[in-house]
Amino acid sequence: MSASTDLEKINVIYQRLFEIAVGQPTDFTPETNPNDDYDVLLNTIHGLAHQLQHLTLSLGIVPPYYPYQNCTQLVFVLDGHYRIQDYNLEVVRLLHYNPEDLIGVAFDGIINERSIDVWKTLLADEVATNSICSRIELFFITKDRCLFPAYCNVSRLNQGTALLITSLITTLNKVAATVSISTEPTTGFEGELEKLQNLHRYILEHLDEPLPTLRELAKLFGSEEYKLKVGFREHYHTSVYHFYHEERLKKAHSLIMDSSITLKEIAFMCGFTTYLNFYKAFKKQYGYAPSNLSRSSSKRG
């Protein structure tokens, strides 16, 4: 078995553990090779996730899911020779380097060999096209020689020759988790709770989009409009649309405090079509403007 295949299976294991940790295990069909240690472990995790979800739903509990609360951002600024010129404090915290370990160091000195090939290809494309704006997966090498995977946006700053490398990541498991909605039909009390759980998850994962009508949501989750409306209020103590509105603003608040993303970008990331609408909603919710939040210098763009 190749190293890349092993890495893919390890990533899947981390993803399943992450889903269990946030109360949202997804349905999947594990492999059944009894001679493969990865498959055996995946089967065990699958069984635990199924038992935990069944127990939770049988107790009438719909677990919450707040993925953006575990997000942070890595930021590197490279000079014209692709050496690290500056970085934010999350780089030190997550990769465990001391400040003196990074300044002036070639960027390809902190990524693994596989990533170096990807990095060189990116730079070669820049020479050919005279522009750079791309999203690539890199594996950083931490101070203690561990691998830290991250999807990075690479772009050249408007003035000068500096490159900006940023990555918005989930810190709970350091591997991006993809959560999908189950399409299997469910019935009875537990079935309705599962539909509410899926609706709750759907809202949190689509905060950057307009929320469909209750009728459309009921059709999407195989339920009835009235059941979704009443059941959601009963279990989450708020209406579907009020929850959607509040969670968009919570996500915006979290991103303002924990990232260097501009306020206008955050507004669009949270589903607001204009910054003015976002400004008014944010101020009404919190009593102060988004720009009044204190952002440390390390988090400013």
Side-chain angles (χ1 to χ4, degrees):
M1 183 177 294
S2 67
S4 61
T5 303
D6 288 347
L7 180 59
E8 289 172 2
K9 289 198 172 187
I10 290 175
N11 283 347
V12 171
I13 290 173
Y14 274 115
Q15 178 173 315
R16 300 308 167 204
L17 291 173
F18 172 80
E19 292 167 359
I20 294 173
V22 298
Q24 299 289 332
T26 59
D27 290 334
F28 75 106
T29 303
E31 300 294 334
T32 56
N33 183 356
N35 298 317
D36 189 315
D37 291 340
Y38 296 104
D39 291 348
V40 171
L41 183 55
L42 268 175
N43 272 285
T44 301
I45 293 173
H46 174 69
L48 290 173
H50 181 76
Q51 292 178 37
L52 181 60
Q53 186 174 38
H54 176 75
L55 176 61
T56 302
L57 294 175
S58 67
L59 293 174
I61 300 172
V62 182
Y65 180 49
Y66 297 107
Y68 60 83
Q69 291 185 350
N70 297 309
C71 287
T72 189
Q73 188 178 44
L74 295 179
V75 178
F76 292 93
V77 179
L78 309 186
D79 63 19
H81 299 286
Y82 311 117
R83 295 178 302 220
I84 299 174
Q85 180 179 334
D86 205 352
Y87 53 87
N88 69 343
L89 293 180
E90 290 301 281
V91 171
V92 174
R93 185 175 73 84
L94 295 177
L95 303 185
H96 307 150
Y97 285 104
N98 298 319
E100 59 271 17
D101 296 331
L102 295 172
I103 296 298
V105 172
F107 182 71
D108 60 12
I110 61 168
I111 55 180
N112 72 345
E113 291 184 7
R114 175 182 170 189
S115 297
I116 291 175
D117 291 337
V118 175
W119 177 247
K120 288 181 177 179
T121 300
L122 177 67
L123 298 182
D125 290 342
E126 180 197 11
V127 173
T129 61
N130 198 31
S131 66
I132 184 168
C133 184
S134 184
R135 187 169 188 264
I136 57 176
E137 183 182 25
L138 296 175
F139 287 82
F140 291 95
I141 302 174
T142 67
K143 175 85 170 182
D144 43 1
R145 309 305 295 174
C146 294
L147 289 181
F148 187 104
Y151 282 93
C152 300
N153 292 305
V154 183
S155 59
R156 192 169 293 285
L157 297 183
N158 188 44
Q159 302 293 329
T161 59
L163 278 183
L164 181 66
I165 301 174
T166 61
S167 178
L168 190 65
I169 59 175
T170 302
T171 58
L172 185 59
N173 71 327
K174 305 184 181 69
V175 176
T178 302
V179 181
S180 59
I181 297 171
S182 173
T183 57
E184 293 297 320
T186 51
T187 58
F189 176 68
E190 290 185 25
E192 287 304 317
L193 285 176
E194 187 173 351
K195 291 170 186 176
L196 292 176
Q197 178 182 358
N198 288 338
L199 171 59
H200 182 272
R201 177 173 54 196
Y202 174 88
I203 293 172
L204 289 173
E205 299 225 338
H206 294 79
L207 294 176
D208 59 336
E209 304 172 4
L211 188 66
T213 65
L214 273 175
R215 178 175 297 179
E216 292 170 331
L217 290 171
K219 184 177 181 180
L220 177 63
F221 295 103
S223 183
E224 299 174 11
E225 184 177 344
Y226 178 78
K227 286 184 177 180
L228 282 187
K229 179 180 179 180
V230 174
F232 197 92
R233 182 176 290 279
E234 178 182 349
H235 288 280
Y236 293 107
H237 310 293
T238 186
S239 71
V240 171
Y241 289 103
H242 192 261
F243 174 73
Y244 165 71
H245 180 69
E246 283 199 334
E247 289 304 315
R248 288 198 301 169
L249 294 174
K250 286 180 183 179
K251 178 180 179 180
H253 194 287
S254 177
L255 288 172
I256 292 172
M257 296 297 294
D258 298 325
S259 78
S260 61
I261 303 172
T262 66
L263 295 180
K264 287 185 178 180
E265 288 178 302
I266 289 175
F268 292 128
M269 289 172 63
C270 296
F272 291 89
T273 55
T274 68
Y275 179 75
L276 181 60
N277 289 340
F278 167 66
Y279 176 91
K280 290 179 178 179
F282 191 97
K283 190 170 184 179
K284 182 178 180 180
Q285 177 72 13
Y286 294 108
Y288 49 83
S291 56
N292 290 148
L293 283 175
S294 177
R295 308 180 83 177
S296 67
S297 58
S298 65
K299 294 176 182 175
R300 290 177 185 154

